Amino acid sequence: MAEYKAPLRDMRFVLNEVFEAGKLWASLPGVSEVVDPETADAILEEAAKLIEQEIAPLNREADEQGSTWDNGNVTAPEGFKAAYQAFCEGGWNGLGGNPEYGGMGMPKTLTAQVEEMLQAGSMAFGLAPMLTAGACLSINAHGSDELKQKYLPNMYSGIWSGAMDLTEPHAGTDLGIIRTKAIDNGDGSYDITGTKIFITWGEHDMAENIIHLVLAKLPDAPAGPKGISLFLVPKFMVNEDGSLGESNSLGCGSIEKKMGIKGSATCVMNFDNAKGWLVGELNQGLACMFTMMNYERLVVGIQALGAAEASYQNAVEYARERIQSRSPEGPKNPDKAADPIIVHPDVRRMLLTMRAQTEGARAFSTYVAQWLDIAKFSEDETTRKEANAMVALLTPVAKAFVSDKALETTIAGQQVFGGHGYIREWGQEQLVRDVRITQIYEGANGIQAMDLMGRKVVANGGQFLEVFAADVQSFINGCGDDMAEFIAPLQTQLQLLKEATAAVIEQSKTDANAIGAAANDYLHLFGYTAMAYMWARMAKVAEANKDGGEADFYQSKLKLARFFFQRELPKVQSFVNSIQAGSETLMALDADLF
């Protein structure tokens, strides 16, 4: 089993050369004061050391041991508490947090790279800071000054952690039918009563306090999602001086036994007149929650990317060492009984597909993070509006397409090992199990596809898509003849996406099922288009540097780009055909005949 090594050179390539993050940061007020390329590089180096040395080595044993529940108390796997303390003491928990309350204020383009390393090291561990960061985003954006001052410093420091309590046994995606109740006490506090399920790290022993953000409804609230409010509910009450008081009226009823991410605790949380405080306005809970959802859904895609990267590292090391049969071209190692399996075309197909998807996903997640930074920090209203449109459009793709391809990638990594990939000691089967959840939580991928197709494309007549298409077209127009092998298929792909978009918009005028029928195929058509754009951008940088220093590095990027365009991109035609087929065959079979 390979030891995880952070792909720092590839991260620097994407961050500094493809997206020129230094120029972006220098142009954004609030960012230019806290980070430059040199600072960012130092941050990446230190994060890599911590994750490689302290967190990644815990991953396999944590999967074997799992979190344990005993009479309401949850104990994290051995080593997690110490690693969490080391992580927090280094300031990593507040890396992207508001500096006014003790965060470091780093842009998402940078924190995305650290998040990839963390999730590659251990998804189960990485979920704890991920959920805290999400809770902090909502509190910072919507909480009162009193709540922010009282809770954010200790959450950024990691002394306290955060949890998001949304799902109920009968209400997953349809949050409008939640039953958790909130009663106004008349003193600024509320009594919260109800049960929440699937609460990641809702209870554990790694932090002194756990701050739950809970969706609930007042008795007189409007029906459906318009009546949901968001409440901050601490595990332990916080005194006026900031010290911890008595236990709140909440507890962990059990933890789930899961397919993967076994090291993390997935809790059933019971609230019995627990004291809570309103975050944001009454009946605006979903709006407060969605403040962090674009970030969280991107991080889920980054989680999947991290698992895919770890699987690739394992697979390529094994392929170089495992000897089996001879090369079709004749012996490569005549002094040995067989050649390493990396000589075989089908093994190379799997490895190259893994690497092309993983590196494309890294570029794409950084691209989305760039728009998040512009939306958050730009002072120009028109620019922010454009950035918000891009974030809305791209987020479901970053979550769903990347996680779909990451599952395929981890399975390919397992396949490279053959029978050994099915054995636990090599680590590949754990990555397959762990990454599977990324297609499900934070909005299952079918819901993400529906969101993309319905809300982000059809609902506005393709206006958001026009912003993305204009960005791609601007890049195409700026390329010379030396990029023709990449630009011509990218132009064709962009046109296919536009035509498919127009087709579904037209279908939806007369067919209520058109959006749902096209959604999954459209998501993947869009995803491959975005990947083609990313690989074209990477190829442009590589082309300009292929004959200078690090020639092998840049030549490898060009060869990978050619592989993607020639072997992966042609798959999109099947999605186009399915979209054009409409909904008739999907809906023709009577439900009783299934």
Side-chain angles (χ1 to χ4, degrees), residues 192-422:
I192 311 299
T193 300
T195 296
K196 299 287 184 178
I197 64 170
F198 302 156
I199 310 308
T200 303
W201 289 117
E203 171 59 27
H204 58 84
D205 63 341
M206 297 188 295
E208 294 178 6
N209 201 2
I210 301 172
I211 312 305
H212 295 265
L213 291 190
V214 184
L215 291 181
K217 286 185 172 183
L218 271 69
D220 59 350
K226 294 183 179 179
I228 296 175
S229 299
L230 183 65
F231 299 91
L232 185 155
V233 186
K235 175 182 175 181
F236 292 103
M237 305 297 287
V238 180
N239 298 320
E240 290 300 320
D241 63 358
S243 64
L244 296 184
E246 62 184 11
S247 296
N248 207 348
S249 299
L250 59 89
C252 176
S254 64
I255 59 175
E256 305 292 351
K257 296 179 180 179
K258 311 187 294 286
M259 173 182 175
I261 53 169
K262 294 183 177 182
S264 66
T266 302
C267 303
V268 175
M269 297 301 303
N270 298 313
F271 300 85
D272 184 10
N273 290 322
K275 286 288 185 292
W277 286 265
L278 183 68
V279 177
E281 300 294 327
L282 280 174
N283 306 323
Q284 296 298 313
L286 286 187
C288 297
M289 182 190 71
F290 276 109
T291 295
M292 48 75 66
M293 286 306 254
N294 283 332
Y295 284 83
E296 291 293 283
R297 285 172 174 167
L298 172 60
V299 179
V300 171
I302 291 171
Q303 277 191 313
L305 162 61
E309 171 65 29
S311 183
Y312 173 74
Q313 291 188 17
N314 286 346
V316 74
E317 179 178 287
Y318 184 83
R320 289 182 178 130
E321 296 177 354
R322 170 72 168 174
I323 60 171
Q324 194 78 34
S325 304
R326 289 297 186 187
S327 165
E329 299 176 331
K332 298 295 184 181
N333 291 333
D335 57 329
K336 294 185 178 180
D339 291 326
I341 62 173
I342 200 168
V343 304
H344 300 299
D346 193 55
V347 173
R348 284 174 166 260
R349 174 190 62 81
M350 291 186 283
L351 292 173
L352 285 168
T353 301
M354 294 174 74
R355 186 168 171 185
Q357 290 291 349
T358 300
E359 293 197 19
R362 180 175 298 117
F364 183 54
S365 62
T366 305
Y367 178 68
V368 179
Q370 166 193 272
W371 289 108
L372 280 165
D373 285 339
I374 294 170
K376 181 178 180 180
F377 294 106
S378 176
E379 292 185 329
D380 182 76
E381 184 176 351
T382 301
T383 301
R384 285 200 311 273
K385 183 178 179 180
E386 178 185 80
N388 278 312
M390 288 288 272
V391 168
L393 179 73
L394 299 174
T395 297
V397 185
K399 192 276 186 188
F401 179 77
V402 171
S403 61
D404 279 352
K405 303 314 291 185
L407 177 65
E408 293 178 15
T409 296
T410 56
I411 289 172
Q414 185 184 36
Q415 192 74 14
V416 169
F417 279 71
H420 291 288
Y422 204 67

Side-chain angles (χ1 to χ4, degrees), residues 88 213 270 333 392 471 555 578:
C88 295
L213 291 190
N270 298 313
N333 291 333
D471 190 53
Q555 288 282 2
S578 293

Side-chain angles (χ1 to χ4, degrees), residues 567-590:
R567 300 286 302 226
E568 286 291 292
L569 193 58
K571 296 176 181 178
V572 300
Q573 190 58 50
S574 65
F575 304 124
V576 174
N577 293 345
S578 293
I579 291 169
Q580 291 173 343
S583 70
E584 183 178 354
T585 54
L586 280 175
M587 308 308 295
L589 188 63
D590 188 86

